[in-house]
Structures are given as structure tokens and as C-alpha cells.
Amino acid sequence: MMRTRPLKVALLGCGVVGSEVARIMTTHADDLAARIGAPVDLAGVAVRRPDRVREGIAPELITTDATALVKRGDIDVVVEVIGGIEPARSLITTAFAHGASVVSANKALLAQDGAALHAAAEQHGKDLYYEAAVAGAIPLVRPLRESLAGDKINRVMGIVNGTTNFILDKMDSTGAGYQEALDEATALGYAEADPTADVEGFDAAAKAAILAGIAFHTRVRLDDVYREGMTEVTAADFASAKEMGCTIKLLAICERAEDGASVTARVHPAMIPLSHPLASVRGAYNAVFVESDAAGQLMFYGPGAGGSPTASAVLGDLVAVCRNRIGGATGPGESAYAALPVSPMGDVVTRYHISLDVADKPGVLAQVATVFAEHGVSIDTVRQSGKDGEASLVVVTHRASDAALTGTVEALRKLDTVRGVASIMRVEGE
């Protein structure tokens, strides 16, 4: 039976995502009402520039006073799509205190202060939903929080930034250099004028923190995530990857230790075999690979950014939160009961691909192999080529800790026969 009193929604931010949320709420109002069981009214839209024309939004709904909007008391749900830490954090906690539940797409804030936001939501008996904060339209947060809540998740590994995947895919498929691929991404609108958050891994790290926290029932903050950007990846790295039957992706990897006593979260470029499902993810798409005890291997794939895809995730949360409001209930909150420690990057064990510039003379390989052995790093394969007194030596290791590999590389740099370390890249997905 349809409830006649509408649920009132306040929208914070009306940029690419916010304007699309408002449009869908208006054009699909009847469908949303049918799915929720009550009409949903857009009660106000907080913006910084009120003079801008916003098609489809009544001028009287526009306000620059976001605080007053969330304090009204008659607002049922606040949708926050302004991003950043402040004023978003204060507005969300104020919304809880004045009786509203919150739907957010704010990955940076959730990665930094998710625990405090969940605590505020629980204190006031309200919902905090944030499907749109990770991987755009791809249903991922809710499956981890709800569908897989009865399973034990061991690993979450994925491509969670469309800009970096577009750049790396272009380098792989055309042989372009990093800057050339970045320029094309910028021209096509995939990269921001300042792409630092994407190409240096900050965006992916925030998403990794959120995913690790949900997957392992442990509080993981942005500061806990090891982060390495992809600006140093070269065409030569891709050539080496192809020789190994691999490609290169910027991956967010969240793992439970083999003994189950700790977790790790990291973001960095990695070689992955062409046979792995993530290797075939092209362009600006995202995909996340989940490994669990009972369900086995699952992959979630789709557009990871953009106004319409992200708005789809926001509206999905809005429907869920509105249903909860009608039913007088709340959805799942923070699950951090496991409280597992987050291990440092030095403890992470994986394979490595190391390219060395060395002198082309007898005994070099033996010297290099001795250094690896002295640091407990086992070599899987070695490839050497060179002429005119200079050579390239490519070493692929068996699984070793990051700390052991770091010590090995420091020792290699001290050898007179090693001219330099051209590149070091992890090998994942095997």
C-alpha cells in the first residue's frame, strides 16, 4: 500500500553526479515511488554557485546554506555528493543529529573517518549508505556488506580507477608512452586537469581502505593503505610484461594473511597474466575480483565513474534507505568486530619482476644470483641480453616478502657490475 506522505530528500552538491541524481529523481518519480512505497520529493539542493542554470530543478529549491538545509528537521534523507573532507563531514553528522539518514559518494571522507561517521549514524539510529563511493555503478559495497556477510572473504583485488586503466590500456594496446596516453585521456575527459589523485593512486587507496574494512570486518583507514602510483610505468615495462604473457594494471589489493591473524591493503602497478579475468578489463572500466571460502571466485565489472553510472549507485542506496525509513528499521552499519591488525607493506609476500642494467662481462649473473640468495629471495627465471659492454638482466622471483626484496635491491645497487635498477614491478594474480 502506497504511503501518501512523501519522503523528503536534501541534495548536497549539484555537479556531474548531483545533477544526474536530481534528473533521475524527477523523471523516474513514479517508478521510484512504486519501488519505495511512498513518493520521494526533492526538498532542497545545496550549491556553491546559485546563479548557474540547473535544468529541471526549480529555482526555489536552490540554496547556498547547506547547514540550514540539513538542520530543517523534516528531511528524511540527505544525499551528499560534494566530496572532500569538510564541510561534508560536518554536514553528514549534523544530518544524523537532526533526524536524517545519509547516502554518500564520498570515498575520501569514508576512508579517513568512516568509523566516526558510522558511530554517529548508530548513535542517532540512522542509515549510512555509500555504494557510489567505490567503483561507480558496480554493485560491490552491498554484496560485500550483505550478500557475502555469511562468508569468509580472503582477498579483494581490482581495478577501481577508470582513468588509470584507460592510460595503461592505451599504453598496452598502442605502445604509447605514459605522457602520450595521459594526454589522450585528458582530451577525452577521462582525466582531470590535475590527474594526481588518479595516477598517484590516492583515489584507489581510499577505495581500498573502504573495501578492506568491509571485507575483513576490520577498521582500515587511508593511512593504513600502501600506495604507489603508475607514473613510472614505461613502454619497456609493457614489453617485458608481454614477454611473460602478462599485462600491467594499477591494482587495489586487500588480503587476509594466510594465518588469518592480520590483513593488508595496498595500491600499486602490477603485472598480471593475460589469463586472469582482470587482464581483459579495457578502457575506463572497473572490475573487482573477490575470493572467499564458500562462494569461491567472483568478479564484479562495469563502468566505474561518470555522472549516470555513479548516480545509479546513489539512487539504489536512496531506494534502500527510504524503504528502511518507512519500515522503521536501519540497514547494516559498521562491522569491525574482527579488529585485525593491518600489516605493513614489508610483510606482503608476492612475486617480483626486476630489470637491471649491468656490465656485459663474465660473472655478473653469478654475482646477482648470490645477492638474491643471501637475502632469501628465490629466483624463478633470468633473461640476459646485451652488447658493447652493456647488458640488461631481467629477474623474475618466486614469492618473497617486500622487505626481503627491498634488502636485495639495496645490495644489488652496491655491486660495481650493476649500473642501475631500471624497474621493479610486482607480479599478481597467479
Side-chain angles (χ1 to χ4, degrees):
M1 181 176 179
M2 179 74 72
R3 193 179 84 160
T4 56
R5 186 181 76 78
L7 292 159
K8 293 188 176 183
V9 177
L11 178 61
L12 307 183
C14 198
V16 173
V17 176
S19 59
E20 190 65 9
V21 169
R23 184 192 69 79
I24 295 173
M25 285 185 64
T26 302
T27 58
H28 294 73
D30 291 343
D31 284 342
L32 290 172
R35 294 167 192 167
I36 292 169
V40 180
D41 285 353
L42 188 58
V45 182
V47 299
R48 286 183 295 177
R49 293 180 287 273
D51 296 334
R52 180 179 295 178
V53 176
R54 293 174 171 84
E55 188 175 344
I57 300 177
E60 60 268 21
L61 295 179
I62 301 296
T63 179
T64 57
D65 194 341
T67 301
L69 179 59
V70 300
K71 281 184 173 181
R72 274 177 37 174
D74 64 336
I75 300 297
D76 293 288
V77 184
V78 169
V79 174
E80 182 271 310
V81 288
I82 57 177
I85 306 302
E86 287 292 355
R89 173 170 49 198
S90 297
L91 290 169
I92 289 174
T93 55
T94 300
F96 290 141
H98 286 78
S101 290
V102 173
V103 172
S104 176
N106 197 331
K107 55 186 170 287
L109 178 58
L110 287 159
Q112 179 171 307
D113 287 322
L117 295 180
H118 276 292
E122 183 177 2
Q123 176 187 352
H124 296 287
K126 299 297 179 285
D127 275 324
L128 174 61
Y129 276 52
Y130 43 90
E131 184 67 66
V134 181
I138 304 172
L140 183 59
V141 171
R142 197 170 305 163
L144 291 177
R145 283 213 297 184
E146 300 179 31
S147 304
L148 296 173
D151 205 344
K152 179 185 177 184
I153 296 173
N154 297 309
R155 196 176 203 222
V156 179
M157 180 173 77
I159 299 161
V160 295
N161 183 278
T163 299
T164 56
N165 199 58
F166 178 89
I167 293 170
L168 292 173
D169 182 41
K170 186 61 62 174
M171 292 176 69
D172 186 28
S173 60
T174 69
Y178 166 76
Q179 189 59 52
E180 182 183 352
L182 172 60
D183 290 344
E184 183 172 350
T186 303
L188 292 172
Y190 292 126
E192 301 287 345
D194 180 0
T196 302
D198 295 323
V199 300
E200 293 294 353
F202 291 101
D203 175 84
K207 296 169 181 176
I210 295 170
L211 292 175
I214 299 170
F216 306 132
H217 305 281
T218 291
R219 288 177 179 168
V220 179
R221 300 179 74 252
L222 181 58
D223 292 345
D224 296 322
V225 181
Y226 172 84
R227 178 195 55 79
E228 187 179 314
M230 47 155 281
T231 57
E232 301 301 317
V233 177
T234 65
D237 292 325
F238 274 101
S240 293
K242 287 181 179 180
E243 290 179 359
M244 290 180 59
C246 293
T247 188
I248 299 172
K249 300 291 186 181
L250 184 74
L251 298 178
I253 304 172
C254 312
E255 291 181 307
R256 188 189 300 269
E258 290 185 5
D259 62 5
S262 65
V263 299
T264 59
R266 50 196 165 104
V267 169
H268 54 71
M271 295 181 179
I272 57 172
L274 295 175
S275 58
H276 194 282
L278 291 176
S280 62
V281 178
R282 311 300 298 270
Y285 274 69
N286 284 191
V288 177
F289 200 70
V290 178
E291 300 175 27
S292 68
D293 276 1
Q297 297 178 334
L298 307 169
M299 190 163 109
F300 301 83
Y301 170 84
S308 293
T310 306
S312 171
V314 170
L315 267 295
D317 279 351
L318 179 62
V319 169
V321 170
C322 286
R323 286 172 175 169
N324 290 344
R325 296 282 289 196
I326 292 173
T330 56
E334 183 188 32
S335 176
Y337 73 90
L340 297 172
V342 181
S343 294
M345 187 63 188
D347 293 347
V348 171
V349 176
T350 188
R351 297 180 68 204
Y352 290 87
H353 177 284
I354 305 102
S355 295
L356 304 172
D357 295 326
V358 299
D360 186 15
K361 62 182 184 181
V364 173
L365 181 56
Q367 285 184 323
V368 169
T370 297
V371 170
F372 275 88
E374 288 174 347
H375 288 80
V377 179
S378 175
I379 294 175
D380 183 16
T381 63
V382 177
R383 185 175 71 254
Q384 185 172 8
S385 61
K387 60 180 180 179
D388 300 328
E390 298 297 330
S392 174
L393 191 65
V394 175
V395 178
V396 180
T397 74
H398 288 290
R399 288 172 61 82
S401 72
D402 188 82
L405 197 282
T406 298
T408 302
V409 172
E410 289 176 354
L412 288 171
R413 294 183 192 276
K414 296 177 182 178
L415 294 177
D416 292 339
T417 52
V418 175
R419 311 298 193 208
V421 180
S423 71
I424 303 171
M425 191 161 298
R426 297 168 182 86
V427 182
E428 302 285 350
E430 294 184 321

